[in-house]
Amino acid sequence: MSNPNLVSTEWLAERLGDPTVIPVDGSWYLPAANRDGPSEFLDARIPGAVFFDINAVADTSTDLPHMLPAPDVFAAAVGELGIGDGATIVAYDGAGLFAAARVWWTFKAFGVKDVYVLDGGLPKWKAEGRPLESGASTRAPARFTPRFDPSVAKSGDQVAEGVDAGLFQVVDARPAPRFRGEAPEPRPGLALGHIPGSLNVPFDQVVKDGRLAEEAELRAAFEAAGVDVNGPIVTTCGSGVSAAILALALEGVGAKAEGIYDGSWAEWGAGGRPVETGPAKTAQ
């Protein structure tokens, strides 16, 4: 099966200039990448695109990075970008597939039904010699009506209760050395290890050369980690970004994430909650 949340570069290229189809650049990088999403957007972007800053359109009352904002805050921010009701959103990023998945998930959380991820992102678009533009976006403001589904963003307490009661599987997208507690976290002051009972599918096992892997590879990655894709799943990671990649990958095998732990390890690893180290105990 093909992932219903992906659109091709050909599909988007045919719709450039359609005011209802809005490319949304959500590029965000870990500090080690030494890249700046907003400045790269100004240098070269898909024509008609707007920039969605996951750190700015966020809950600024918490020290946790890029948490979901209140519905009215989200509506005001995206309306100012020129994204209104009825728009078709095509999220992309400069890595191929990284933060675009978080943008996709965020718009879905606020009730947008027609939201997709550009397969291959900006690298594929550039490699094919497709048109680019630069400078500030010029879309006129629009009215956006949020329809927030709070069930898709899980809190630390909900995750703890769900794990204790066996209500769902927790699947962590962080690299295996971080999951096992053998490598430091990019954010200082966090405990090392993982949520007790969680499973590990590093996001680079479901992303190949900046694109979501094929269905067979996705299934193999989840199966190798002991994940039952037919059961309820909550995804997590370092700060809620690559967890969205796993949510996208699950839909590529006909499954669906019940939610994302929005605070992820940035919250769990700082909050004095129980931690396990080593490989996942229930992994095959």
Side-chain angles (χ1 to χ4, degrees):
M1 63 172 291
S2 59
N3 193 314
N5 300 285
L6 297 178
V7 296
S8 67
T9 50
E10 291 82 5
W11 185 96
L12 181 57
E14 290 171 359
R15 289 161 177 80
L16 288 183
D18 182 338
T20 67
V21 177
I22 306 176
V24 177
D25 187 331
S27 298
W28 174 84
Y29 306 96
L30 288 167
N34 197 30
R35 295 182 64 176
D36 185 284
S39 66
E40 291 182 16
F41 172 82
L42 293 175
D43 289 339
R45 64 171 180 275
I46 294 174
V50 298
F51 188 79
F52 184 89
D53 188 335
I54 64 171
N55 283 327
V57 189
D59 179 1
T60 56
S61 70
T62 175
D63 292 335
L64 296 172
H66 38 253
M67 297 297 96
L68 286 180
D72 60 331
V73 173
F74 181 84
V78 299
E80 187 64 28
L81 290 177
I83 299 173
D85 295 336
T88 295
I89 307 299
V90 180
Y92 74 91
D93 63 51
L97 178 56
F98 187 54
R102 172 75 187 193
V103 176
W104 162 80
W105 176 76
T106 299
F107 275 91
K108 283 175 68 74
F110 284 102
V112 177
K113 300 202 180 313
D114 295 322
V115 54
Y116 305 95
V117 172
L118 182 64
D119 185 18
L122 190 60
K124 187 171 187 290
W125 183 273
K126 286 182 173 179
E128 294 167 348
R130 299 190 184 277
L132 296 166
E133 66 180 14
S134 60
S137 174
T138 57
R139 289 192 67 90
R143 179 178 177 80
F144 180 88
T145 306
R147 296 173 176 84
F148 182 53
D149 179 2
S151 71
V152 303
K154 304 301 183 185
S155 69
D157 287 344
Q158 287 175 313
V159 170
E161 292 166 6
V163 169
D164 288 345
L167 299 179
F168 45 72
Q169 305 159 88
V170 176
V171 185
D172 193 324
R174 289 177 300 155
R178 286 170 56 194
F179 177 87
R180 295 192 298 258
E182 299 166 356
E185 288 293 313
R187 296 173 182 83
L190 300 182
L192 303 184
H194 56 266
I195 297 169
S198 59
L199 303 171
N200 186 211
V201 179
F203 78 89
D204 63 2
Q205 292 185 8
V206 300
V207 176
K208 306 295 181 182
D209 299 321
R211 302 177 70 180
L212 196 66
E214 297 296 326
E215 181 184 358
E217 292 179 275
L218 297 178
R219 288 191 180 278
F222 287 118
E223 183 177 345
V227 178
D228 176 9
V229 297
N230 297 313
I233 294 168
V234 169
T235 63
T236 185
C237 59
S239 64
V241 174
S242 56
I245 299 176
L246 291 189
L248 182 68
L250 284 167
E251 300 209 6
V253 298
K256 188 176 181 65
E258 190 172 286
I260 285 177
Y261 174 20
D262 202 19
S264 284
W265 199 251
E267 179 180 49
W268 190 282
R273 295 185 182 273
V275 171
E276 280 182 354
T277 57
K281 288 185 172 63
T282 54
Q284 296 175 350

